[in-house]
Amino acid sequence: MSETRFFEQKDGSKIAYRIFESETIKNEIPLVLIMGLGGTKEIFMGYEEVIVFDNRGIGESTVVSQSDPITIELMAQDTTELIKHLGIKKLTYLEGHIALHIALNTPPDLKLEKLVVGCGFARYPNIEQADKFFQLPEMNHPKTVQEQKDWLLKSEKSFADYLLEHPDKFDKIAEYLVSTNDIRPFEISKRQWEAIKKSDLNSRLHMIKVPTLIIHGEAEELVPIKEAELLDREIPNTQFYRIPKVGHSIYVMAPESTIIVNEFLNKDIAVQA
């Protein structure tokens, strides 16, 4: 496994990142994986030949103060500054809302070749379950692997069913979550969610001209598949891959998604004018 490296920004925050190489996969254009809400870079299981990092204040990345602002614009800026630090000029992003924001605001000294949107949305889709969760004054994380497993079984039904059918993965995911609970501050995650709720990209989606792959689980409960259908309608140059019986955790539940992404990255697709 690649060692963690750190990029210190002008404001004093540090972005922790890893570069995973592969002996069998060689993407000509670097793939940058942007972590979603409250997660850490290690959750991207099965991907090779990628750059992964923790958003500010989460995982091994830091903020100068816990009261530092958390906005979509700032997290997008962190991403592009890291890419510039690595000396990369051409790249592909994989994620949801932050990747869409960067695609619409790519700096002139970077060239976005392609875009991959997994379980993404352009505007906050009124997720009642998440709203209730982030209205809690604090989060008492599970302390043991068994407590974490019990908590996971109360999550999205398709994911809970999958974990029960794959006990080895169930153990690994529970162990991962317990081991990272202390470096996933609830307050930072809550402020990420508030930032997402304020961001609306719907009216600008038609301006994304790069080839875009949309991946979404048909059993998704957190972000309904209608959000992906909207992206497919509004973004001009898309390929839409729907995964049956899969929910929000597509990279865990659908290992074939890595093959779909790599095929998309290495296919010659023209950019629309």
Side-chain angles (χ1 to χ4, degrees):
M1 181 175 289
S2 166
E3 64 178 9
T4 299
R5 305 174 190 178
F6 294 88
F7 163 53
E8 184 168 357
Q9 304 201 89
K10 293 178 181 179
D11 67 356
S13 62
K14 294 181 180 179
I15 301 298
Y17 67 95
R18 290 181 177 180
I19 301 174
F20 293 110
E21 298 180 347
S22 171
E23 295 182 357
T24 57
I25 300 172
K26 294 299 176 186
N27 295 325
E28 293 185 8
I29 306 299
L31 175 62
V32 181
L33 306 186
I34 306 174
M35 191 59 238
L37 178 66
T40 64
K41 56 191 176 300
E42 288 77 17
I43 199 62
F44 282 112
M45 301 177 181
Y47 277 88
E48 299 177 293
E49 201 71 13
V50 297
I51 299 166
V52 298
F53 67 98
D54 292 324
N55 286 312
R56 59 170 55 218
I58 293 282
E60 296 178 276
S61 291
T62 66
V63 288
V64 177
S65 166
Q66 289 300 313
S67 61
D68 282 0
I70 300 289
T71 66
I72 295 297
E73 292 78 10
L74 187 55
M75 289 188 285
Q77 179 181 307
D78 290 343
T79 305
T80 56
E81 290 301 318
L82 171 62
I83 298 311
K84 291 179 182 180
H85 168 73
L86 294 174
I88 295 170
K89 301 295 184 183
K90 298 180 179 180
L91 70 156
T92 297
Y93 290 118
L94 186 155
E95 194 262 2
H97 195 80
I98 297 174
L100 287 168
H101 184 280
I102 299 174
L104 289 164
N105 299 276
T106 303
D109 52 347
L110 293 179
K111 182 179 181 183
L112 180 62
E113 294 283 342
K114 294 180 182 179
L115 179 64
V116 181
V117 182
C119 301
F121 54 86
R123 178 173 58 192
Y124 169 62
N126 292 319
I127 304 172
E128 182 179 352
Q129 179 181 347
D131 276 341
K132 287 181 179 179
F133 178 71
F134 286 115
Q135 285 171 4
L136 295 172
E138 61 182 14
M139 172 63 181
N140 295 316
H141 290 292
K143 299 294 190 295
T144 68
V145 171
Q146 186 56 54
E147 288 178 0
Q148 186 68 67
K149 291 173 78 170
D150 293 340
W151 185 84
L152 285 169
L153 290 177
K154 298 175 185 177
S155 62
E156 189 178 48
K157 184 180 184 304
S158 60
F159 188 44
D161 290 345
Y162 178 87
L163 294 174
L164 290 173
E165 294 168 3
H166 298 81
D168 290 345
K169 284 190 176 182
F170 196 0
D171 289 340
K172 288 180 180 178
I173 291 169
E175 290 166 4
Y176 152 73
L177 290 171
V178 168
S179 69
T180 59
N181 276 337
D182 290 341
I183 56 174
R184 292 185 291 113
F186 182 63
E187 180 58 32
I188 297 291
S189 297
K190 181 186 292 189
R191 286 160 61 198
Q192 284 185 350
W193 185 250
E194 291 299 325
I196 290 170
K197 290 173 66 175
K198 296 174 183 176
S199 180
D200 184 350
L201 306 176
N202 274 1
S203 65
R204 300 176 62 206
L205 292 176
H206 67 280
M207 299 169 64
I208 298 176
K209 303 301 184 183
V210 296
T212 300
L213 173 66
I214 300 168
I215 306 178
H216 214 94
E218 292 185 343
E220 166 77 88
E221 295 176 15
L222 290 176
V223 181
I225 198 166
K226 67 179 182 180
E227 301 298 331
E229 292 168 345
L230 184 147
L231 296 177
D232 186 44
R233 287 196 308 271
E234 298 297 325
I235 299 174
N237 190 4
T238 60
Q239 295 181 30
F240 190 8
Y241 185 65
R242 308 165 68 111
I243 311 179
K245 301 180 181 179
V246 167
H248 192 68
S249 300
I250 56 174
Y251 307 118
V252 175
M253 299 175 67
E256 70 271 20
S257 62
T258 62
I259 299 172
I260 298 298
V261 170
N262 284 318
E263 288 179 350
F264 172 75
L265 294 179
N266 293 295
K267 185 185 298 183
D268 231 0
I269 307 173
V271 175
Q272 290 199 359

